[in-house]
Amino acid sequence: MSWTEVVIEIAREHAEALSDALMEAGALSVSVEDADEGTDQEKPMFGEPGMEPTEAAWDHSRVVALTDVDADQAAIVAEAAAAIKLAKVPAFTTRSVADEDWVRLTQSQFAPIHIGKNIWVVPSWHEAPDPDGLILELDPGLAFGTGSHPTTRLCMEWLEAHPAPGKTVLDYGCGSGILAMVAKKMGAGDVAGVDIDPQAIESAKDNAERNNCDIAYYLPDQLATARPEHATGRFDTVVANILSSPLKLMAPMLAGRVAPGGALILSGVLARQAEEVAEAYAPFIKLGVWAEQDGWVALHGRMGSDTVPPARSTGE
């Protein structure tokens, strides 16, 4: 089977409405792109959880609608234009989309990822390159955290460089649960994960079961009613890979979760944001940069220590 894409360039104020109307008119799927992509006029669009862009479109947008190959593309565009009361039917071009084994094609884009000294993140359709390594079977999914992003890698490498057999660990903002699983496979005792997204919690639970890791995952309000040691206690290691803005807001709460002498590791922080994040935590714990990768940093500190722990040495 093959399909035909309809490509329409249109102003920002009509992009979203046209997308919805194209779906109503018979398109199979619709996406919106920056029509200036690859030029000096390209405009990146970023959003943080809870602070998503108010409009998923650009000043000069490109709407791409997927249709059946034998569909009447002109009629679909005309119907959509009429539905949103455009003055005239917009010009469009079409392009063919050949049939593919989309599952195999998608899987081919994800190979095992080597992290730190001995960690491998391996999709289920691959064999582990090093069976003796610390193997995490993890497929790309809806929850953040497969080890491909520098912030995730930095936290994983910190956990590998600072094993704490039998100690308690809290992964706050757990996403896929990958950091909690690294801690557990490094020998941690009681491990818990927290995320605001129920879908992430379910994904993390599935991943932990697949990797034979006994980890408890909670929504934030569930943590307050969990087992006593999770509800009111502190953890020997607290790791949070989120973003700088929420990390600063959560400074009292996250620092309050760290046991005396315990470690706090923060990532999701750009190098230029490191000082302001450390300042937010200064009343509770002294933090310093442990390592930097591709413009991102991991901050760490020890509760009760008057000094900042050293940065990563070249041997780590």
Side-chain angles (χ1 to χ4, degrees):
M1 185 176 181
S2 58
W3 298 268
T4 297
E5 283 185 333
V6 177
V7 183
I8 305 168
E9 294 194 3
I10 199 163
R12 173 199 291 266
E13 60 265 27
H14 299 306
E16 287 196 83
L18 181 62
S19 299
D20 293 340
L22 286 166
M23 289 294 294
E24 291 293 328
L28 302 175
S29 68
V30 180
S31 62
V32 181
E33 306 169 354
D34 185 356
D36 294 320
E37 180 182 1
T39 72
D40 293 340
Q41 286 73 46
E42 180 178 1
K43 294 182 179 180
M45 184 180 295
F46 301 106
E48 297 185 358
M51 295 182 287
E52 292 82 3
T54 56
E55 194 172 4
W58 289 261
D59 293 337
H60 186 197
S61 293
R62 180 187 298 118
V63 176
V64 182
L66 185 70
T67 69
D68 286 324
V69 68
D70 54 357
D72 187 340
Q73 285 81 28
I76 290 174
V77 175
E79 181 180 335
I84 64 172
K85 297 180 172 56
L86 289 180
K88 62 179 181 179
V89 177
F92 66 91
T93 59
T94 61
R95 58 195 184 197
S96 297
V97 180
D99 192 16
E100 296 275 3
D101 183 343
W102 295 108
V103 172
R104 186 179 299 276
L105 184 63
T106 301
Q107 289 181 344
S108 69
Q109 300 175 30
F110 298 97
I113 301 172
H114 187 207
I115 297 170
K117 293 182 178 180
N118 206 34
I119 301 173
W120 285 94
V121 181
V122 184
S124 59
W125 53 85
H126 279 283
E127 293 291 331
D130 179 7
D132 296 326
L134 191 160
I135 307 300
L136 296 168
E137 183 181 308
L138 195 67
D139 292 341
L142 296 177
F144 176 80
T146 60
S148 59
H149 196 276
T151 62
T152 308
R153 298 175 71 102
L154 286 167
C155 291
M156 294 171 72
E157 290 169 2
W158 191 98
L159 291 168
E160 183 184 35
H162 301 82
K167 300 295 186 179
T168 56
V169 177
L170 174 63
D171 176 8
Y172 206 97
C174 61
S176 68
I178 192 170
L179 300 181
M181 290 190 293
V182 170
K184 192 68 178 180
K185 286 181 174 284
M186 291 297 298
D190 196 4
V191 180
V194 174
D195 203 283
I196 63 173
D197 184 356
Q199 195 167 45
I201 294 297
E202 292 306 311
S203 175
K205 288 179 178 178
D206 291 343
N207 290 330
E209 183 176 357
R210 182 191 302 185
N211 286 274
N212 298 312
C213 292
D214 182 12
I215 300 170
Y217 289 105
Y218 308 105
L219 293 167
D221 58 344
Q222 292 174 335
L223 185 64
T225 57
R227 302 200 308 265
E229 65 271 27
H230 287 178
T232 59
R234 298 185 176 190
F235 294 77
D236 298 308
T237 298
V238 175
V239 56
N241 178 25
I242 311 178
L243 287 168
S244 62
S245 294
L247 282 175
K248 288 186 288 185
L249 292 173
M250 292 190 292
M253 182 274 293
L254 285 176
R257 282 289 178 179
V258 185
L264 176 64
I265 308 93
L266 306 177
S267 197
V269 180
L270 292 167
R272 59 179 171 79
Q273 299 168 330
E275 185 175 347
E276 63 188 64
V277 173
E279 287 178 356
Y281 283 79
F284 316 103
I285 184 173
K286 292 184 180 296
L287 296 177
V289 173
W290 178 65
E292 179 177 347
Q293 188 175 116
D294 297 338
W296 298 90
V297 298
L299 300 171
H300 71 155
R302 288 278 173 186
M303 183 59 68
S305 175
D306 293 331
T307 60
V308 174
R312 174 164 57 181
S313 66
T314 55
E316 288 182 318

